[in-house]
Amino acid sequence: MLQVKNISFRYKKKNILEAISFHVNQGEHVSIIGESGSGKSTLLKLLYGTYDLNEGEIFWKDSQILGPKFNLIIGPDFMKYVSQEFDLMPFTSVSENIGAFLSNFYPKEKQERTLELLKVVELEAYANIKVKELSGGQKQRVALARAIAKQPEIILLDEPFSHIDNFKKQSLRRNLFKYLKEKNITCIVATHDKDDVLSFSDQMIVLHNAKILANNTPQYLYKHPKDKLIASFFGEFNDINGKLIYANQLKIVETSDLKTTVKQVYYKGYYYLIEVDLNGNKVFLEHHKALKIDTTVYISIIRQG
Ligand code: ADP
Ligand code: MG
């Protein structure tokens, strides 16, 4: 189990993280979310032992994770960390980058394992290409494969799919998270993408103003977004009489107390996002077809079970 006990950290004067506590069981997947600058990357770096804490302690099982004051080499053996910068060897091939952490005593096993890893990140065709010739997204995939090459007990991923295009992202995300679950590798992901969280995380931690604003399952936080920041992470939402209502929780009805006027219509593929005016306030709802600007529509909140 990973135990984060009351940690605080500042680079200079201002606390970036303040009294942060949480724990993660072996094999669990946790997302760290929060606005840009909220301290997600800093938290991952602290978990890896990159900096000395100002207060608190971090433990993985019985080993304490300590910063550079106490360690010559940063990062414990049982942990892998994929930073937002990748840290690859540019002049060697994709295969060599991935195999760098594998033993040379068993060449056949090394070759098989490298191929298995190339498959996870869908880079079989690039095995012999030099890393410096790859795109940003391809480099990110090499970094991911490197991190899981020698099975860590815990992996820290900082926005792991941020450079990967939508064509590849969905399948890569499924492959990687499935692989980590199968191998019972504990995974902590800093992200601002709800698709990294909803289908794959057991726990979701929201950072805001240096503190943990919420820590619960994605299912719970989706259904009970106690704060606008949390609701906005999941999608378009409205504040109707103090209640946070997602755009897909509103429907158009024959008549209701909520009389609105259509203001804008946005095509979204399988639905339209409709902006209406409700007593001078903007409200967004999802509808299966386009509506004419300036028409009057009545809306109602769908009860969710
Ligand atoms: P996030 O990953 O959530 O975007 P970061 O952890 O990168 O946030 O940054 C949190 C805050 O710490 C930001 O205000 C950022 O400017 C500051 N910060 C990050 N790295 C450093 C550093 N090496 N030195 C000083 N301040 C830093
Ligand atoms: Mg970051």
Side-chain angles (χ1 to χ4, degrees), residues 11-12 14 16 34-43 45 51 84 158-159 190 207:
Y11 289 103
K12 289 175 192 130
K14 189 171 147 259
I16 303 294
E35 292 157 294
S36 189
S38 60
K40 302 181 294 295
S41 296
T42 303
L43 179 56
K45 286 176 186 165
Y51 305 119
Q84 284 177 297
D158 201 345
E159 304 197 13
L207 292 180

Side-chain angles (χ1 to χ4, degrees), residues 140-159:
Q140 190 162 33
R141 279 143 66 194
V142 177
L144 290 169
R146 254 165 91 89
I148 56 176
K150 226 171 115 185
Q151 260 178 50
E153 291 180 55
I154 173 165
I155 188 166
L156 311 172
L157 303 173
D158 201 345
E159 304 197 13

Side-chain angles (χ1 to χ4, degrees), residues 53 62 66-67 113 116 135 159 173 193 200 220-221 284:
L53 299 169
D62 294 330
L66 294 165
R113 179 93 181 107
E116 185 190 11
S135 72
E159 304 197 13
R173 178 153 43 204
D193 187 342
F200 303 105
Y220 182 87
L221 292 178
F284 291 92

Side-chain angles (χ1 to χ4, degrees), residues 173-228:
R173 178 153 43 204
R174 282 192 296 267
N175 284 354
L176 182 73
F177 287 132
K178 180 164 169 273
Y179 179 92
L180 296 174
K181 268 284 172 201
E182 277 169 8
K183 309 278 178 182
N184 203 31
I185 298 169
T186 306
C187 171
I188 302 182
V189 188
T191 182
H192 50 233
D193 187 342
K194 68 178 186 305
D195 292 333
D196 290 342
V197 181
L198 282 170
S199 313
F200 303 105
S201 290
D202 302 303
Q203 190 185 339
M204 170 177 156
I205 293 172
V206 185
L207 292 180
H208 187 57
N209 287 341
K211 300 241 171 64
I212 293 183
L213 177 66
N215 179 1
N216 214 311
T217 62
Q219 289 85 341
Y220 182 87
L221 292 178
Y222 178 79
K223 277 195 178 166
H224 311 278
K226 63 170 179 180
D227 193 282
K228 286 182 185 179

Side-chain angles (χ1 to χ4, degrees), residues 27-220:
E28 261 186 345
H29 285 198
V30 175
S31 308
I32 312 284
I33 74 141
E35 292 157 294
S36 189
S38 60
K40 302 181 294 295
S41 296
T42 303
L43 179 56
L44 289 192
K45 286 176 186 165
L46 293 173
L47 297 179
Y48 194 59
T50 311
Y51 305 119
D52 296 301
L53 299 169
N54 293 109
E55 270 163 66
E57 294 172 315
I58 302 168
F59 282 91
W60 172 249
K61 296 177 181 163
D62 294 330
S63 7
Q64 185 166 8
I65 296 172
L66 294 165
K69 247 189 217 160
F70 307 89
N71 274 319
L72 217 49
I73 296 170
I74 289 172
D77 295 341
F78 49 81
M79 207 180 250
K80 276 279 181 264
Y81 163 57
V82 182
S83 77
Q84 284 177 297
E85 287 92 27
F86 317 149
D87 312 323
L88 301 171
M89 305 184 291
F91 300 103
T92 50
S93 73
V94 168
S95 282
E96 286 168 294
N97 265 272
I98 294 175
F101 294 119
L102 300 172
S103 167
N104 286 321
F105 277 111
Y106 308 99
K108 187 156 169 287
E109 280 79 359
K110 178 170 176 172
Q111 202 184 358
E112 283 169 7
R113 179 93 181 107
T114 303
L115 187 62
E116 185 190 11
L117 293 163
L118 284 168
K119 278 190 186 144
V120 173
V121 295
E122 299 177 21
L123 280 178
E124 298 103 302
Y126 294 85
N128 301 316
I129 307 281
K130 285 197 175 70
V131 160
K132 70 175 171 60
E133 291 163 25
L134 300 180
S135 72
Q138 289 165 335
K139 283 184 193 147
Q140 190 162 33
R141 279 143 66 194
V142 177
L144 290 169
R146 254 165 91 89
I148 56 176
K150 226 171 115 185
Q151 260 178 50
E153 291 180 55
I154 173 165
I155 188 166
L156 311 172
L157 303 173
D158 201 345
E159 304 197 13
F161 312 111
S162 55
H163 295 260
I164 295 164
D165 59 57
N166 278 330
F167 301 109
K168 272 269 178 291
K169 199 185 291 199
Q170 316 295 345
S171 71
L172 180 65
R173 178 153 43 204
R174 282 192 296 267
N175 284 354
L176 182 73
F177 287 132
K178 180 164 169 273
Y179 179 92
L180 296 174
K181 268 284 172 201
E182 277 169 8
K183 309 278 178 182
N184 203 31
I185 298 169
T186 306
C187 171
I188 302 182
V189 188
T191 182
H192 50 233
D193 187 342
K194 68 178 186 305
D195 292 333
D196 290 342
V197 181
L198 282 170
S199 313
F200 303 105
S201 290
D202 302 303
Q203 190 185 339
M204 170 177 156
I205 293 172
V206 185
L207 292 180
H208 187 57
N209 287 341
K211 300 241 171 64
I212 293 183
L213 177 66
N215 179 1
N216 214 311
T217 62
Q219 289 85 341
Y220 182 87

